[in-house]
């Protein structure tokens, strides 16, 4: 899975000949699983028309000050700025950058950039003399100073026949640059272990006891840890999700298999996110053959307790920083705090489940962090965004603990 999967990207296109490459960039981002909303300026539509982008993105293209519906309720420049995880303007003309540098907001793309509180990236493309002009240099310096990421341009033959800097970066390179914006590096090289998904407990060779976990939250946590630069091992129950690119994935089925896989590697990891919905019980003696209904009018199963994987990990010598998840249908914070103490965890993530909107199988998460002596509401949002916030908080607490442990005792 690419780290762009699930990201909400506004792809702004302004009027330059390199616009033809932005259609290919769009195709790559969509293939990576990103949700891309294209916003065209009037000049851009003279180069490549909205139909091309619409066909490739599967969304109505936004132009000028038209509102467009990417969410129920419609989208204007403010709603688009809220929706986007990132805005990439490719190609960005000299004129567009000049307007942006001076805070002009006369069209949809520049007004949404002005309303944006997320990362903004520009892929300039223009004639080399325009690129080297002091006005362009000054505008660019201003935009960089305000936090815009500038990708390229590169040197080479130009559409006008000139040779020099001003060509838009190749699309594969732009895609790499865009991905790197999400790479915070706060957990660079830290080995992080994540368990995810449901477990299945066999009743007979063809049936099992399971639960509704989709694995989405665990995979989002693994993805966010990768973005933070961690070395990620993902131990996953059966899910239909792609492994995040760069993670080492071990597939398991039952709680017992998950326990063995987790305990085998836990001592060499520094943080453990136990996101898996581990079955608390397993069938005492699974039938060796398929259970036949003619043989049982009433079928009785005897279930026995599974070991608590998370509690075992927190009990090993020099245990990793342990993060548990408490998925609760009621008494959320009380149950979560009780689990934090009972399992000896560094932190627990309280997560309401069972409602129509949040929890198992849903795209949104609603998380509160609890630790000994404190708590923090992380809020509600898409699981990918919640996972990023969670990893940032855990990284901060983990690094604080490491620093405290390394400090000489007085
Ligand atoms: N967990 C685990 N091993 C188990 C059960 C749970 O490692 N056998 C972990 C989960 O991955 C999660 C945390 O413990 O991080 C809490 O899981 P949850 O199912 O909410 O709690 P339980 O301890 O199983 O308690 P209960 O089901 O009674 O609420």
């Amino acid at each position: 899975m690419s780290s762009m999967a699930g990201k909400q990207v506004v792809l702004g296109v302004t009027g330059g000949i390199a616009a033809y490459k932005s259609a290919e960039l769009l195709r790559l981002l969509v293939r990576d699983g990103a949700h891309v909303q294209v916003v065209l300026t009037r000049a851009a539509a003279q180069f490549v028309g909205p139909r091309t982008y619409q066909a490739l993105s599967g969304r109505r293209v936004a132009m000028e000050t038209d509102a467009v519906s990417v969410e129920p309720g419609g989208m204007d420049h403010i709603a688009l700025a809220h929706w986007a995880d990132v805005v990439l303007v490719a190609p960005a003309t000299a004129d567009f950058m000049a307007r942006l540098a001076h805070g002009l907001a006369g069209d949809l793309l520049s007004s949404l950039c002005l309303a944006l509180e997320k990362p903004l990236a520009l892929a300039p493309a223009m004639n080399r003399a325009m690129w080297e002009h002091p006005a362009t240099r000054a505008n660019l310096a201003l935009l960089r100073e305000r936090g815009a990421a500038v990708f390229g341009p590169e040197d080479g033959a130009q559409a006008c026949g000139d040779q020099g800097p001003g060509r838009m970066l190749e699309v594969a390179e732009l895609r790499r640059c865009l991905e790197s914006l999400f790479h915070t590096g706060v957990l660079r090289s830290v080995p992080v272990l994540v368990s995810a998904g449901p477990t299945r407990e066999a009743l007979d060779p063809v049936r099992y006891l399971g639960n509704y976990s989709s694995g989405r939250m665990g995979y989002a946590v693994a993805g966010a840890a990768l973005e933070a630069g961690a070395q990620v091992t993902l131990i996953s129950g059966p899910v239909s999700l792609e492994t995040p690119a760069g993670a080492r994935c071990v597939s398991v089925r039952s709680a017992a298999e998950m326990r063995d896989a987790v305990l085998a590697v836990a001592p060499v990891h520094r943080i453990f996110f136990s996101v898996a919905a581990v079955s608390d019980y397993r069938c005492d003696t699974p039938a060796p053959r398929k259970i036949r209904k003619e043989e049982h009018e009433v079928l009785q199963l005897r279930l026995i307790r599974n070991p608590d994987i998370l509690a075992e990990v927190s009990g090993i010598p020099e245990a990793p920083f342990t993060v548990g998840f408490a998925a609760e249908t009621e008494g959320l914070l009380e149950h979560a705090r009780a689990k934090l103490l009972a399992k000896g965890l560094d932190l627990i993530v309280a997560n309401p489940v069972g409602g129509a909107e949040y929890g198992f199988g849903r795209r949104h998460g609603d998380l509160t962090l609890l630790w000994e002596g404190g708590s923090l509401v992380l809020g509600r949002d898409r699981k990918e965004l919640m996972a990023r916030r969670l990893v940032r908080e855990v990284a901060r607490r983990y690094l604080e603990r490491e620093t405290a442990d390394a400090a000489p005792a007085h």
Side-chain angles (χ1 to χ4, degrees):
M1 190 169 80
S2 151
S3 63
M4 289 311 293
K7 301 268 164 28
Q8 299 186 161
V9 180
V10 166
L11 175 61
V13 183
T14 66
I17 180 63
Y20 77 92
K21 293 190 196 169
S22 58
E24 175 64 5
L25 174 63
L26 168 60
R27 198 181 65 79
L28 292 183
L29 294 174
V30 169
R31 204 183 57 189
D32 285 344
H35 307 291
V36 189
Q37 173 63 55
V38 175
V39 178
L40 296 185
T41 61
R42 208 183 287 279
Q46 307 286 317
F47 289 89
V48 179
R51 287 220 176 108
T52 305
Y53 298 109
Q54 185 166 320
L56 292 169
S57 66
R59 288 169 186 271
R60 194 155 76 82
V61 167
M63 287 181 57
E64 298 306 321
T65 43
D66 281 0
V68 61
S69 208
V70 295
E71 257 183 2
M75 294 287 261
D76 55 12
H77 59 292
I78 305 291
L80 275 168
H82 285 164
W83 177 84
D85 296 326
V86 63
V87 173
L88 168 64
V89 183
T93 59
D95 176 68
F96 179 76
M97 293 196 301
R99 281 187 285 135
L100 203 59
H102 295 282
L104 300 183
D107 62 19
L108 178 60
L109 186 57
S110 46
S111 57
L112 98 83
C113 288
L114 203 58
L116 188 73
E117 292 172 319
K118 317 278 182 47
L120 169 67
L122 303 167
M126 67 199 69
N127 164 269
R128 61 144 197 96
M130 292 169 81
W131 172 249
E132 284 163 352
H133 195 284
T136 308
R137 314 303 308 161
N139 290 334
L140 209 75
L142 212 54
L143 290 168
R144 278 205 170 105
E145 195 185 297
R146 294 184 191 141
V150 181
F151 303 154
E154 62 182 7
D155 255 47
Q158 304 208 302
C160 53
D162 275 10
Q163 187 78 27
R167 276 168 62 94
M168 189 168 89
L169 282 189
E170 287 309 320
V171 291
E173 185 57 28
L174 278 181
R175 173 171 156 243
R176 263 196 298 280
C177 292
L178 195 61
E179 272 187 319
S180 71
L181 281 187
F182 295 98
H183 295 175
T184 62
V186 286
L187 288 178
R188 193 173 308 288
S189 304
V190 175
V192 169
L193 180 61
V194 181
S195 74
T199 62
R200 289 181 182 173
E201 308 303 316
L203 299 182
D204 70 13
V206 295
R207 300 186 182 90
Y208 59 85
L209 286 175
N211 60 62
Y212 291 124
S213 167
S214 64
R216 240 182 241 136
M217 191 69 214
Y219 276 59
V221 168
L226 285 162
E227 281 177 8
Q231 291 167 0
V232 175
T233 306
L234 175 61
I235 300 198
S236 175
V239 295
S240 49
L241 297 170
E242 256 184 78
T243 305
R248 190 173 81 86
C249 187
V250 181
S251 297
V252 296
R253 211 145 53 171
S254 64
E257 282 175 22
M258 185 170 275
R259 174 187 176 272
D260 292 349
V262 166
L263 287 177
V265 297
V268 295
H269 286 82
R270 298 313 310 140
I271 303 177
F272 175 40
F273 288 94
S274 182
V275 200
V278 185
S279 175
D280 288 327
Y281 295 92
R282 67 178 181 279
C283 191
D284 190 4
T285 34
R289 291 180 297 106
K290 195 175 161 192
I291 302 170
R292 304 231 163 253
K293 62 177 173 296
E294 305 82 57
E295 294 166 13
H296 306 272
E297 195 48 44
V298 173
L299 177 63
Q300 278 200 323
L301 297 173
R302 214 174 94 89
L303 302 179
I304 54 171
R305 281 278 286 274
N306 274 327
D308 191 306
I309 305 171
L310 179 55
E312 285 193 58
V313 171
S314 81
I316 62 181
E318 295 190 43
F321 188 96
T322 44
V323 182
F325 271 68
E328 308 291 345
T329 53
E330 26 74 59
L332 179 68
L333 298 183
E334 299 78 341
H335 282 128
R337 196 164 282 288
K339 287 175 190 178
L340 173 79
L341 297 176
K343 302 189 191 212
L345 308 180
D346 292 294
L347 196 129
I348 195 151
V349 185
N351 177 24
V353 290
E357 212 179 335
Y358 299 101
F360 284 176
R362 312 278 167 207
R363 293 190 181 278
H364 287 70
D366 177 358
L367 308 182
T368 302
L369 308 188
L370 304 170
W371 59 91
E372 203 189 322
S375 67
L376 175 71
V377 176
L378 279 193
R380 317 171 159 201
D381 218 318
R382 281 176 297 126
K383 286 183 176 171
E384 289 82 13
L385 297 184
M386 297 311 300
R388 242 184 261 152
R389 283 185 217 164
L390 169 64
V391 166
R392 211 171 35 229
E393 272 310 309
V394 168
R396 207 167 56 74
R397 304 190 147 270
Y398 160 75
L399 292 168
E400 263 171 28
R401 192 183 79 171
E402 291 295 285
T403 323
D405 287 354
H410 293 291

